[in-house]
Amino acid sequence: MHLALAPMAGITDQVFRGLCFEMGCNLATTEMVSAQGYLTAPADRNAYRFLLARQASEGPLAVQIFGSDPVHMENAAARLSQLGLFSAVDINMGCPAQKVVGGQSGSALMKDIPLAAEIVRRCVKASSLPVTVKMRIGWDENSINAVEFAKAVTDAGATALTVHGRTRKQQYSGKANWEEIGKVRQAVSVPVTANGDIWDAASALECARITGCDSLAMGRGALGNPWLFQEIKAAFEGTEWHKPPFEDIMKTALRHSREMIAWKGEKSGMLEMRKHLGWYVTGQRGVAKLRTRLNLATSLSQVEDLLSTLLQKNPEE
Ligand SMILES: Cc1cc2nc3c(=O)[nH]c(=O)nc-3n(C[C@H](O)[C@H](O)[C@H](O)COP(=O)(O)O)c2cc1C
C-alpha cells in the first residue's frame, strides 16, 4: 500500500514531512503555493523560501500550486520543475477556502471543467515533471462530477489523481464519500489516491476496501501523530503495531520543536509549534491547563519544562 501525506497549508512543511517520512510515508506534498504570488514575488521573499524548502533526507515530494490563470499556472509549473527539488507538480483543484475559490481557483475549478483541463494541458507541456491533480467529488451535492472531471484532467495529461471524498460545500463536515472515489478509480487509467477521514488502521483498511485504491493520503489523522503511517503500513502487512509510549511522543514533540526553531528561529518557530504541541498532547489526561501554557510558550526551554512536567505526571506510559 502506498501512503501519502495529504498537503496541509501551515502544516506540511519540511520538518513535519521529515517526521512522516521516517514513519513510513511514501510521498508528501508541499503546502499550496500561489502560482501568481510565486511568479511575482522577489526571489528572496521569505514566505516562498520556507514554502519550497525541503530536507535532503525527505522522500519524493510534489510541489502544489493553485491559481486560475492558465498562463500563470504554466509559468509557475515550468519554474518550479526546474528547481530540481520536486518529483511532481500537483495542481490544487480541491481547496474550499473562500479566498481561493473567490479567485476561481482550488475547488472552484470543479465547476469549470474546460478551464481545469486547459490548466493541466499547459502545465504538462511546460513542466519537465509529471503533473498530478488534487480534487474533490464536486462543488455541492447537486453537482457531483468527480468522474467526468477526473476523465477530463487525465485526458489533458494528469498522471495521477488524489480525490478527497467531499464536496466543496461540505468543506470538512460530514463523512468522506469513499464510494465516489471508487467510481473515479474505475473510470480512469492513472493511479488514484483516496483521501478523507482515514484516521487509523481500521479506517485505512475500510477505505482501501471500498475505493479499491492502492494508494491512500492522510491529512488530519497525522496531526500530532506521524506514527499513523507506521500503524497503517503494519495493518496492510498484517504485522503487529503498538502506539508509541508517551515518553516517545513527548521526545518527538521536543525534536519537532527543536528542528522548527533551528529552521525558523525561536520566535516564528514557537508560533508554528503551538498548534503541533497541542496535537501531540491530545488525548493525555489532565492536559487542559498545560495546553493553555504551551499555547503561550515563547521559548524552547519553556516547552522543555512543560513537557517534562507532563511526563512526570504520566509515569506509567
Ligand atoms: C489545515 C488544513 C490545510 C489544508 N491545506 C491544503 C492544501 O494546501 N492543499 C490541498 O490540496 N489540500 C489541503 N487540505 C486538505 C487535505 O489535503 C485533505 O484533503 C483533507 O484534510 C481531507 O483529508 P483528511 O480527512 O485525511 O484530513 C488542508 C486540510 C487542512 C485540515
Side-chain angles (χ1 to χ4, degrees):
M1 183 57 61
H2 182 269
L3 302 182
L5 173 64
M8 287 181 285
I11 294 160
T12 53
D13 57 35
Q14 62 168 358
V15 179
F16 183 64
R17 294 190 312 253
L19 292 172
C20 293
F21 277 119
E22 275 181 34
M23 307 296 175
C25 169
N26 302 113
L27 170 74
T29 305
T30 64
E31 304 169 63
M32 62 181 175
V33 176
S34 155
Q36 185 177 6
Y38 171 65
L39 292 169
T40 52
D44 58 351
R45 176 91 171 272
N46 258 349
Y48 292 97
R49 198 163 56 77
F50 286 128
L51 278 173
L52 300 174
R54 71 163 290 162
Q55 310 189 65
S57 59
E58 287 185 62
L61 177 66
V63 59
Q64 190 185 67
I65 55 174
F66 73 94
S68 60
D69 179 329
V71 177
H72 288 150
M73 294 294 272
E74 165 184 357
N75 290 337
R79 255 177 65 182
L80 288 165
S81 56
Q82 282 158 14
L83 296 178
L85 297 171
F86 307 111
S87 57
V89 174
D90 187 54
I91 306 180
N92 183 326
M93 298 192 176
C95 180
Q98 189 50 47
K99 66 175 185 212
V100 172
V101 297
Q104 301 313 308
S105 314
S107 57
L109 288 169
M110 292 207 66
K111 292 198 293 189
D112 191 341
I113 294 182
L115 177 59
E118 167 75 358
I119 288 173
V120 172
R121 238 184 324 271
R122 282 181 176 252
C123 289
V124 168
K125 207 162 162 212
S127 164
S128 51
L129 297 173
V131 172
T132 60
V133 168
K134 175 133 180 299
M135 53 182 278
R136 288 190 173 230
I137 59 171
W139 180 257
D140 61 22
E141 66 278 20
N142 300 316
S143 58
I144 292 187
N145 61 351
V147 167
E148 185 191 357
F149 189 84
K151 281 185 182 161
V153 293
T154 51
D155 284 349
T159 57
L161 305 174
T162 300
V163 186
H164 176 192
R166 286 188 172 82
T167 62
R168 186 271 168 175
K169 192 175 157 202
Q170 283 180 295
Q171 305 244 352
Y172 296 93
S173 67
K175 170 107 181 61
N177 181 339
W178 292 335
E179 286 78 11
E180 202 58 34
I181 301 175
K183 289 184 199 163
V184 173
R185 186 194 64 80
Q186 285 184 324
V188 296
S189 54
V190 303
V192 172
T193 296
N195 171 240
D197 290 347
I198 302 171
W199 303 100
D200 51 20
S203 48
L205 292 168
E206 185 65 356
C207 176
R209 187 184 69 75
I210 292 176
T211 60
C213 292
D214 50 19
S215 176
L216 306 175
M218 281 65 66
R220 293 165 298 167
L223 301 178
N225 181 26
W227 298 273
L228 179 64
F229 295 94
Q230 273 182 354
E231 178 186 354
I232 295 176
K233 202 134 261 182
F236 282 101
E237 286 166 0
T239 53
E240 236 182 89
W241 179 84
H242 298 283
K243 193 174 155 32
F246 181 63
E247 190 179 348
D248 288 3
I249 299 177
M250 293 302 98
K251 275 189 192 149
T252 300
L254 264 182
R255 176 181 153 200
H256 192 161
S257 309
R258 287 194 187 109
E259 290 182 10
M260 185 71 87
I261 286 168
W263 180 37
K264 291 200 165 173
E266 193 150 47
K267 192 164 174 231
S268 309
M270 279 309 305
L271 286 175
E272 289 282 338
M273 277 314 293
R274 286 175 180 174
K275 55 183 183 284
H276 289 283
L277 291 168
W279 291 322
Y280 280 113
V281 301
T282 295
Q284 297 305 321
R285 281 170 282 138
V287 292
K289 271 197 196 135
L290 178 104
R291 199 194 266 273
T292 311
R293 292 171 73 188
L294 279 171
N295 233 342
L296 297 170
T298 52
S299 71
L300 182 61
S301 62
Q302 275 175 308
V303 173
E304 285 169 339
D305 289 348
L306 288 165
L307 294 188
S308 57
T309 312
L310 183 60
L311 212 44
Q312 282 153 19
K313 275 180 29 195
N314 289 269
E316 115 287 356
E317 283 101 342

